[in-house]
Amino acid sequence: MSNSVPEGWAESKLGSIAKLTMGQSPSSDTYNDQGVGLPFFQGKADFGSRTPKVRYWCSQPSKVAEANSILFSVRAPVGEVNLTPYECCIGRGLAGIKAESADQEYLFQKLQFVKPKFGLLSQGSTFEAVNGSEMREFPLVIPPLPEQQKIAAILSSVDDVIEKTRAQIDKLKDLKTGMMQELLTKGIGHTAFKDSPVGRIPEGWNVECLENISEKISDGIHSTPKYAEKSDYRFVNGNNLKGGHIVYGDSAKYVPLDEYNKHKKALTNGTILMSINGTIGNLAFYRGEEVVLGKSAAYISLNEGQSKEFVYFVLQSQAVKTFYELELTGSTINNLSLRSVKNTPIPLPPKKEQRKIAGILAEIDKGICQRNSKLNQFSSLKKALMQDLLTGKVRVNVDNKENAVA
């Protein structure tokens, strides 16, 4: 036995501890969205965070996965998993896995943990995929059943908290969407309304192009800057803008001081940054960061006294998103021109009402941010627990002392 196998654990193969059902696509004329037949899942596109989302049904399934089966993505991205709570039809992008001599929840957690190894297994082929033989022969090191069950209970309890937190975030996002629609079209306490370029708005509101309430609207450099291995100055593009903040991530690029001085823009406390290439409309407030902007990041420096918080929420509204969709150029990668940004229609209440509306929406954003922070904490905890428990680095106590080390 390998020295890497914890005491009391055993080396096995996936096909030895579980029944595998490789998917097969049924005839396309048996698909429907009317709920006729079994739920039909084709691949990762149907997956949720833990359970799949039913979009189609199949009246004559070719391959069926049992209820509570693990659905395993056998095509790119290889190794993604979900648990189906019901019997379902599976297409050729999936395999159904049902534990026979192992705990099903434990196996679900274990397959999540070893996903990178399946990725390595699928490399080298023209199309990233794994077949049934490769899956059945896939090696696993597993503890005795009581220890499996205890590990599964611990990890699934963290999953439950993660799911509840995600549900809270989704509810707050729905609330925000509804409140934005209400507040940015009807305002607070109005009874009289008028027609406008953005639809019906309260009497006393105006509509202005974004350019008319801004000191300057432009974008970043259209060339590749000189990078530094490390410095106090960052290079920022549209993909670094998220949820009102500049997010650098692990792949952040740095520029030296001379490059920063050469390319820095006159950004102010009233500046909003927006992505205009690729993903359109991601936003961030400028908070004094020492950055060089790339061409996919536009900056909107508002007039003094204009509420940047109010404009920030208007730029997230469905009306503005629809306007931008009609203005997009580029066949492969979406692009929003600066002219379109400047022409963005902005409904403007009196400044006091702007501040009230922004304050209400900011409170909802605050709640979303707090729960996102908790979600990140729980996700980090889950990752650490998986590393400890699924490798045997940390052993759990079970009732049968012969099957686990305290």
Side-chain angles (χ1 to χ4, degrees):
M1 184 174 290
S2 169
N3 289 332
S4 63
V5 178
E7 181 184 347
W9 290 34
E11 294 175 300
S12 188
K13 293 179 180 179
L14 181 57
S16 299
I17 63 171
K19 173 187 174 184
L20 272 67
T21 303
M22 304 304 293
Q24 180 180 328
S25 295
S27 175
S28 60
D29 60 8
T30 66
Y31 302 178
N32 69 87
D33 58 4
Q34 305 301 312
V36 178
L38 292 179
F40 175 42
F41 303 121
Q42 303 182 67
K44 171 65 168 64
D46 296 315
F47 284 6
S49 56
R50 181 178 170 91
T51 59
K53 303 171 184 176
V54 183
R55 299 185 297 169
Y56 300 104
W57 289 258
C58 179
S59 58
Q60 298 179 32
S62 300
K63 291 290 182 177
V64 174
E66 299 175 37
N68 199 39
S69 287
I70 298 165
L71 301 183
F72 183 99
S73 175
V74 299
R75 296 187 169 196
V78 171
E80 294 285 347
V81 291
N82 256 200
L83 273 173
T84 175
Y86 25 66
E87 186 180 49
C88 62
C89 171
I90 52 174
R92 60 183 177 178
L94 295 174
I97 304 174
K98 194 69 182 287
E100 294 182 321
S101 58
D103 181 80
Q104 182 75 350
E105 178 67 27
Y106 174 84
L107 187 56
F108 175 65
Q109 300 290 344
K110 187 77 170 185
L111 289 175
Q112 292 179 61
F113 182 66
V114 299
K115 176 191 169 186
K117 294 182 180 179
F118 277 104
L120 292 174
L121 185 64
S122 67
Q123 288 179 358
S125 59
T126 304
F127 183 78
E128 185 182 336
V130 292
N131 59 41
S133 296
E134 290 170 325
M135 290 189 65
R136 290 183 180 91
E137 292 297 311
F138 188 82
L140 293 171
V141 178
I142 60 174
L145 186 59
E147 194 169 351
Q148 290 180 38
Q149 293 167 336
K150 186 64 176 289
I151 291 170
I154 294 169
L155 296 178
S156 63
S157 68
V158 180
D159 279 347
D160 289 343
V161 176
I162 288 173
E163 287 302 303
K164 288 176 182 176
T165 305
R166 285 196 176 114
Q168 291 172 355
I169 292 170
D170 289 341
K171 285 183 179 179
L172 284 173
K173 286 181 176 179
D174 289 343
L175 174 63
K176 179 182 174 182
T177 299
M179 292 297 290
M180 285 177 63
Q181 177 62 27
E182 181 76 14
L183 293 171
L184 297 178
T185 59
K186 297 181 181 179
I188 300 173
H190 294 278
T191 57
F193 299 87
K194 64 181 181 182
D195 292 328
S196 80
V198 297
R200 299 279 289 176
I201 60 173
E203 292 280 358
W205 286 29
N206 297 314
V207 177
E208 293 283 356
C209 290
L210 186 57
E211 183 177 34
N212 292 343
I213 61 171
S214 303
E215 293 178 0
K216 187 170 185 178
I217 297 176
S218 191
D219 59 2
I221 62 173
H222 286 234
S223 58
T224 302
K226 179 175 66 177
Y227 296 124
E229 185 174 343
K230 198 83 171 177
S231 79
D232 294 327
Y233 313 99
R234 309 265 194 155
F235 181 66
V236 168
N237 253 315
N239 57 5
N240 297 112
L241 312 178
K242 185 177 181 181
H245 297 270
I246 299 176
V247 179
Y248 301 115
D250 296 333
S251 59
K253 292 182 171 65
Y254 299 87
V255 296
L257 175 60
D258 61 331
E259 197 75 352
Y260 169 71
N261 287 330
K262 178 181 177 182
H263 296 297
K264 66 180 179 180
K265 304 294 183 180
L267 308 180
T268 71
N269 187 50
T271 296
I272 297 171
L273 306 176
M274 181 168 72
S275 61
I276 57 172
N277 184 264
T279 301
I280 305 298
N282 285 350
L283 300 167
F285 292 115
Y286 176 69
R287 295 178 171 86
E289 298 93 339
E290 294 176 310
V291 295
V292 170
L293 300 179
K295 67 177 182 180
S296 67
Y299 62 96
I300 304 159
S301 294
L302 299 168
N303 292 338
E304 187 175 352
Q306 173 60 54
S307 169
K308 65 178 180 181
E309 291 81 10
F310 177 80
V311 174
Y312 170 78
F313 287 115
V314 173
L315 292 175
Q316 298 175 58
S317 68
Q318 187 56 52
V320 169
K321 289 178 181 178
T322 300
F323 174 77
Y324 287 160
E325 286 172 2
L326 297 174
E327 295 287 312
L328 291 177
T329 61
S331 56
T332 305
I333 299 176
N334 287 333
N335 183 70
L336 186 68
S337 70
L338 287 176
R339 174 48 51 194
S340 297
V341 177
K342 292 176 181 179
N343 287 337
T344 305
I346 305 293
L348 289 175
K351 290 183 179 179
K352 183 177 180 180
E353 189 175 0
Q354 287 184 37
R355 291 192 293 271
K356 285 184 179 179
I357 291 172
I360 293 169
L361 296 175
E363 277 301 308
I364 302 175
D365 263 0
K366 181 180 178 181
I368 293 172
C369 184
Q370 289 172 341
R371 285 161 180 79
N372 271 323
S373 178
K374 287 184 178 179
L375 180 61
N376 291 335
Q377 292 174 14
F378 293 134
S379 297
S380 296
L381 172 63
K382 170 76 183 297
K383 185 177 180 180
L385 285 171
M386 291 176 80
Q387 180 63 42
D388 287 342
L389 300 179
L390 295 173
T391 62
K393 180 181 177 181
V394 174
R395 305 296 293 272
V396 296
N397 289 309
V398 293
D399 293 336
N400 186 347
K401 300 298 183 181
E402 294 179 357
N403 289 325
V405 178

